[in-house]
Amino acid sequence: MKAIRRFTVRTVLPESLGGLEELATNLRWSWHEPTMQLFASIAPDVWDESGRDPIALLGAVEPSRLDELAADEAFVGRTNGLLGELHTYLSEPRWYQSLPDAPAAIAYFSPEFGIAAALPQYSGGLGILAGDHLKSASDLGVPIIAVGLFYRSGYFRQAISREGWQQESYPVLDPDGLPLSVLRHPDGRAALITLALPDGRALAARIWRVAVGRVTLLLLDTDVPENDDELRSVTDRLYGGGGEHRLLQELLLGIGGVRAIGLYTHLTGSPEPLVFHTNEGHAGFLGLERISDLIGGGLSFTEALQVVRAGTVFTTHTPVPAGIDRFEASLVTRYFSTELLPGVDVAEVLALGTENYEGGDPAMFNMAVMGLRLGQRANGVSQLHGDVSRGMFGYLWPGFDQDDVPITSVTNGVHAPSWTDPLLMQLASSKLGAVDTTSADWNSPEVSDWDLWQVRGAMRHQLVDDARRRVGDAWHEQNPGVGDPAWYSSLLDPNILTIGFARRVPTYKRLTLMLHDEDRLRSLLLHPTRPIQIVIAGKSHPADDEGKRLIQRLVEFAAEIDVRERIVFLPNYDIAMAKLLYPGTDVWLNNPLRPLEACGTSGMKAALNGSLNLSILDGWWAEFYDEENGWAIPSADSAGDGAERDKLEADSMYDLIEHQIAPRFYDRGDDGVPHRWVQSIRHTLSTLSPSLSADRMVREYVERLYIPAAVAEETISANAYQPARELALWKARVVEAWPAVHVTHVESGGVDAVPQVGDTLHLRAQVELGGLTADDVSVEVVYGRARDGDRLIDTQLAVLEPTTDTGDAATFAGTVPLGRAGSFGYNVRVVPRHPLLASAAEMGLIAVAV
């Protein structure tokens, strides 16, 4: 018989163990090994069965065991010691507190957060990245208030049918059994935010609070009595439902999220955020809510837009237009032709997201386009992705070269304490006295090759054991009461070179590239002296049948009798699986179609544990590969078609495994250690660990984006927003005048008939200003090497200064040093200039000499 309702009854702890409650409800435990060891010691079997979830553990452990621990002075002392350490961690000044001009609070919006397996509110890389961002922000003392949605079913649970087809299920989560608490008014009422909807309806949401170390995460939940059944389901599933359902989720995340932060800061006395970080376009509506608030304070839409832009950071994570959320403009019109945003006209909303550019569809509203128009600072998530993004969104800045498009990059990082295996941490601690593995001296003779190799072997053994358990659990779920097939006990071998591949399964990530030549792969798996084995995991979006077919093909191959012990697909890829999968692999494989991998942080997590990467030069690997930390699969970009490209790249992958990777792994010294391989492990740990850390990433966001955004917003908001009013007027004047701005003449001199290195080129440009003044513009010479078609590369800028200004026209002059030999070319451009602009391209206006 099935229950008609489920809920969680939390245990009442003995008074002396009261500290366990606080330790369990602050998710810092998920990356603090001593606290996890404390919970594990309560009841090791129950800890494992609970999925290593402290709240589930405390609800499942026998009361007699808790009474026993309450009388154990050593355990009580250990608990109180860790609680005191947590309080110190939460209150002491850290890196951020030493910074000048640092904002008192920063808002961070994301549609998903992957923090711990105990809080399943993530689907993949975007959520894991957001979770790691919060964890490192906490460790560094960055005062983030994060906002997301609470999905009652989270993302889907994956199973694989007997036919190899992905099957989805959506277990309903009970928030009472999760590390959450409701934000409440002083009288105990749950705090609610409300959004006006068409047809006189309203959407209400309660606010769950999650403690992520020092960071507060607010999750909005529409499953409340104030909503009818249809609206209660708005936050049912992550990335579920059709276009209107998705729009409702994104309205709630953006607009509702800003309102939730306002309510939270009011009720708790916390500082209000000065900077708002939009992690991908899903939360872009947050800027419109802020504009509405400012309009209520007396600003016009355009004036409020200047303020919001100054304090907004927008991060794009997709390298392909198909990955961007787009809605029909008519649907957006319907939702904003209401009281949703007082003071904001629907036409002003549409102007921010409509694809009114060459190649766009004016009938569509584009969330990434709105994000870029609402954020003065934007970034991609690796150097290559930044360049791809500048090309992909360049249509918003017509006339500018790709390098001038104002999208920078901050390469993603991963939270080392979360993703580094405890065995490696113990080695660093015992041999090097290091708590932080990213700063340990891995080249020290204190750690022998044997030490490293033993730890790597133990991590591989953990993975093999976990894989066998997961495959057995999946069998029992499909075949209740039937024993495991006998060969499951020999699935994988802890002594064989192990390759890992785990990620989402869209077609561009090419899950089945390894199957391009099945006979070649079979020979590698079954090599008599240098065999390999492959552990694979990943979920395909429920609506992506092409991705599901890739999984099916892989599962069918892995079931063939001769290879089934050497290749395995593990169902239901999640954080718990990943924590053993990354450390347990010797080589991490990544073979997307370049340049469609924005970053690819799974390989980073493997590298933090000493695994070597085998990857296409895409995402983060394109900037960090150095020929010693792994292998690069050559990209066959110039191939005639996709099939030829797949063949060339697959053959290269097979060759690298057969002729370089496997020989190095199996080439052992007299002590059984592959010393050349361990040399690469040392190099990887020493050189990649600091750079791949999310601490490095968050520091970059703070120093390069958050603090400049905070300074910009404070500056533009001074004197009751007078700078914003003046900037809005100035922009309107410049836009109106710009069609009449022209470079009418350029003359040069100062060099001999045969220019030489060391000469100085003198330039003079005459510019029609169209009613603007010389102070309104920057006249610049762009110079560099001239290539085919007079295209300039490796360009530099020099500003020309005004020498005469007659009102409608002005002369600008300056010099350019000829500092290197070879081809040389230049041009002169005019762009708007104002101290409150963050880049020359910000307004998308340019006049170039022709």
Side-chain angles (χ1 to χ4, degrees):
M1 181 177 294
K2 290 187 176 181
I4 61 171
R5 186 182 171 209
R6 290 180 54 190
F7 56 88
T8 300
V9 180
R10 290 202 181 186
T11 190
V12 177
L13 293 167
E15 183 177 353
S16 62
L17 297 181
L20 289 175
E21 178 75 16
E22 186 174 349
L23 289 171
T25 53
N26 189 311
L27 288 175
R28 192 222 181 192
W29 64 259
S30 68
W31 72 90
H32 190 243
E33 187 63 25
T35 304
M36 283 192 280
Q37 291 174 356
L38 174 77
F39 285 118
S41 69
I42 292 175
D45 291 343
V46 179
W47 173 246
D48 289 335
E49 291 168 5
S50 72
R52 304 194 170 192
D53 176 353
I55 290 179
L57 165 75
L58 295 177
V61 71
E62 292 293 333
S64 59
R65 175 56 176 162
L66 293 176
D67 291 338
E68 177 186 340
L69 292 172
D72 184 339
E73 292 184 5
F75 184 85
V76 172
R78 186 177 166 199
T79 299
N80 291 336
L82 287 170
L83 184 62
E85 184 182 341
L86 174 62
H87 290 164
T88 299
Y89 170 86
L90 296 177
S91 60
E92 67 181 0
R94 303 183 81 82
W95 170 78
Y96 187 84
Q97 282 64 48
S98 67
L99 300 177
D101 300 320
I106 297 155
Y108 180 91
F109 286 62
S110 180
E112 52 176 301
F113 288 91
I115 300 165
L119 187 64
Q121 298 289 303
Y122 62 94
S123 70
L126 179 67
I128 300 298
L129 182 278
D132 282 6
H133 195 108
L134 299 194
K135 294 174 188 176
S136 278
S138 175
D139 290 343
L140 295 169
V142 182
I144 280 180
I145 303 172
V147 180
L149 302 182
F150 177 73
Y151 305 96
R152 279 297 170 125
S153 296
Y155 202 47
F156 68 87
R157 184 180 184 277
Q158 180 196 51
I160 303 298
S161 72
R162 290 184 177 88
E163 294 74 33
W165 194 253
Q166 173 180 288
Q167 297 176 318
E168 302 94 23
S169 59
Y170 294 86
V172 176
L173 303 172
D174 175 16
D176 291 329
L178 300 173
L180 311 170
S181 62
V182 174
L183 179 67
R184 297 187 180 277
H185 290 279
D187 62 3
R189 290 179 297 119
L192 295 177
I193 57 95
T194 306
L195 275 65
L197 300 181
D199 305 321
R201 305 174 77 197
L203 176 66
R206 87 180 103 194
I207 305 165
W208 293 102
R209 297 173 61 176
V210 185
V212 187
R214 298 166 67 111
V215 166
T216 294
L217 169 60
L218 306 177
L219 299 176
L220 306 185
D221 177 11
T222 61
D223 189 12
V224 294
E226 289 76 6
N227 293 326
D228 59 32
D229 288 345
E230 181 184 356
L231 292 180
R232 290 182 77 145
S233 67
V234 166
T235 54
D236 55 354
R237 298 175 182 176
L238 177 58
Y239 302 142
E244 188 164 5
H245 186 82
R246 188 76 165 262
L247 178 62
L248 276 166
Q249 288 189 339
E250 299 192 5
L251 290 170
L252 178 63
L253 175 60
I255 296 171
V258 174
R259 295 177 185 178
I261 286 179
L263 197 49
Y264 167 77
T265 57
H266 172 72
L267 292 174
T268 62
S270 303
E272 295 182 2
L274 197 59
V275 174
F276 285 73
H277 184 174
T278 308
N279 191 40
E280 197 44 272
H282 312 80
F285 291 121
L286 72 88
L288 294 175
E289 169 66 10
R290 296 181 63 213
I291 286 174
S292 178
D293 286 344
L294 290 164
I295 290 174
L299 297 185
S300 69
F301 181 89
T302 54
E303 291 165 349
L305 176 60
Q306 312 314 314
V307 179
V308 168
R309 278 180 49 78
T312 300
V313 174
F314 175 72
T315 298
T316 174
H317 290 265
T318 179
V320 288
I324 296 170
D325 275 354
R326 301 163 75 230
F327 300 102
E328 292 182 3
S330 58
L331 182 64
V332 175
T333 298
R334 178 169 178 261
Y335 273 85
F336 283 92
S337 299
T338 62
E339 294 302 312
L340 177 61
L341 289 179
V344 177
D345 186 84
V346 66
E348 295 166 325
V349 174
L350 292 174
L352 289 169
T354 300
E355 296 179 352
N356 55 350
Y357 42 79
E358 184 178 353
D361 182 352
M364 299 303 293
F365 187 92
N366 187 305
M367 295 298 289
V369 167
M370 180 179 65
L372 290 164
R373 287 172 173 164
L374 283 172
Q376 193 174 41
R377 289 164 179 81
N379 69 282
V381 292
S382 69
Q383 289 180 8
L384 178 59
H385 180 236
D387 188 56
V388 169
S389 298
R390 287 187 287 274
M392 187 168 75
F393 294 111
Y395 47 70
L396 296 178
W397 294 271
F400 284 90
D401 291 340
Q402 182 168 320
D403 289 345
D404 291 324
V405 170
I407 301 176
T408 185
S409 63
V410 177
T411 302
N412 283 343
V414 295
H415 187 244
S418 293
W419 298 108
T420 305
D421 193 277
L423 292 172
L424 192 65
M425 292 182 182
Q426 292 166 13
L427 179 64
S429 176
S430 63
K431 296 289 186 175
L432 303 173
V435 176
D436 179 7
T437 57
T438 67
S439 61
D441 180 9
W442 290 106
N443 290 313
S444 169
E446 294 299 317
V447 176
S448 68
D449 285 2
W450 172 262
D451 293 330
L452 269 174
W453 186 240
Q454 288 300 107
V455 166
R456 290 289 310 151
M459 292 191 287
R460 196 183 312 111
H461 210 295
Q462 287 178 161
L463 170 59
V464 170
D465 289 345
D466 187 62
R468 290 174 179 174
R469 179 187 64 79
R470 290 178 182 276
V471 169
D473 289 347
W475 170 267
H476 291 305
E477 190 171 318
Q478 287 190 345
N479 305 276
V482 180
D484 291 351
W487 65 271
Y488 277 18
S489 62
S490 55
L491 173 67
L492 305 179
D493 183 330
N495 298 305
I496 286 180
L497 170 62
T498 304
I499 297 176
F501 183 104
R503 51 191 40 85
R504 288 186 304 112
V505 189
T507 53
Y508 78 86
K509 290 181 183 282
R510 297 192 296 183
L511 169 70
T512 56
L513 185 68
M514 65 182 74
L515 301 182
H516 190 273
D517 183 340
E518 293 186 4
D519 290 338
R520 184 83 185 272
L521 176 61
R522 185 176 279 104
S523 70
L524 293 172
L525 293 167
L526 303 175
H527 193 283
T529 58
R530 297 195 301 268
I532 69 168
Q533 58 191 7
I534 308 177
V535 183
I536 305 154
K539 294 179 176 179
S540 180
H541 188 280
D544 183 6
D545 282 350
E546 287 302 311
K548 292 180 183 180
R549 275 189 271 274
L550 297 180
I551 292 175
Q552 184 180 46
R553 184 182 170 204
L554 193 287
V555 169
E556 287 173 348
F557 177 83
E560 294 183 10
I561 293 175
D562 58 339
V563 298
R564 65 188 183 185
E565 295 179 13
R566 291 290 171 266
I567 182 168
V568 61
F569 183 89
L570 302 180
N572 204 39
Y573 181 39
D574 63 4
I575 287 177
M577 179 193 296
K579 281 181 173 289
L580 294 178
L581 180 54
Y582 299 134
T585 53
D586 300 292
V587 174
W588 194 258
L589 175 63
N590 190 26
N591 46 237
L593 283 170
R594 176 186 161 98
L596 302 185
E597 182 79 276
C599 185
T601 54
S602 59
M604 293 180 168
K605 300 179 185 83
L608 286 181
N609 289 280
S611 300
L612 309 184
N613 274 264
L614 169 63
S615 177
I616 295 285
L617 286 171
D618 200 5
W620 74 276
W621 191 235
E623 65 194 83
F624 284 105
Y625 168 62
D626 67 2
E627 300 186 4
E628 179 61 27
N629 50 23
W631 295 266
I633 301 171
S635 296
D637 298 357
S638 59
D641 57 25
E644 182 185 0
R645 180 175 183 171
D646 284 352
K647 180 183 186 308
L648 292 171
E649 294 182 359
D651 286 345
S652 295
M653 176 181 65
Y654 298 139
D655 287 343
L656 285 169
I657 294 172
E658 181 177 2
H659 301 300
Q660 296 189 38
I661 296 173
R664 185 182 300 183
F665 180 86
Y666 286 106
D667 181 14
R668 308 293 169 88
D670 293 339
D671 55 0
V673 176
H675 294 279
R676 179 65 184 88
W677 187 277
V678 173
Q679 178 183 322
S680 294
I681 293 175
R682 288 187 189 274
H683 178 80
T684 292
L685 291 173
S686 298
T687 61
L688 288 184
S689 294
S691 299
L692 302 185
S693 166
D695 285 3
R696 183 272 310 155
M697 174 189 72
V698 172
R699 285 191 180 99
E700 278 198 59
Y701 273 109
V702 168
E703 294 171 341
R704 294 177 48 206
L705 296 172
Y706 294 166
I707 290 179
V711 171
E713 176 146 336
E714 285 183 321
T715 301
I716 206 169
S717 303
N719 301 320
Y721 300 106
Q722 187 59 30
R725 301 178 198 273
E726 293 172 357
L727 180 61
L729 287 172
W730 178 85
K731 281 188 173 182
R733 181 167 60 86
V734 170
V735 169
E736 182 180 7
W738 203 259
V741 174
H742 302 286
V743 180
T744 58
H745 181 67
V746 177
E747 58 185 45
S748 62
V751 296
D752 294 329
V754 180
Q756 294 181 333
V757 172
D759 287 351
T760 299
L761 178 68
H762 292 260
L763 292 170
R764 187 184 306 273
Q766 295 177 355
V767 180
E768 292 286 347
L769 294 175
L772 301 178
T773 71
D775 290 336
D776 293 323
V777 300
S778 179
V779 179
E780 302 163 344
V781 55
V782 183
Y783 62 96
R785 297 186 183 276
R787 286 293 184 259
D788 47 282
D790 296 327
R791 182 174 58 92
L792 295 177
I793 63 171
D794 300 332
T795 56
Q796 295 177 269
L797 285 178
V799 176
L800 304 182
E801 299 295 339
T803 59
T804 62
D805 185 351
T806 61
D808 287 337
T811 301
F812 296 77
T815 60
V816 173
L818 303 183
R820 61 189 180 191
S823 63
F824 179 86
Y826 70 89
N827 203 339
V828 174
R829 72 181 192 181
V830 186
V831 293
R833 180 177 64 180
H834 192 284
L836 294 180
L837 298 182
S839 81
E842 182 169 322
M843 293 179 64
L845 301 175
I846 188 171
V848 180
V850 293

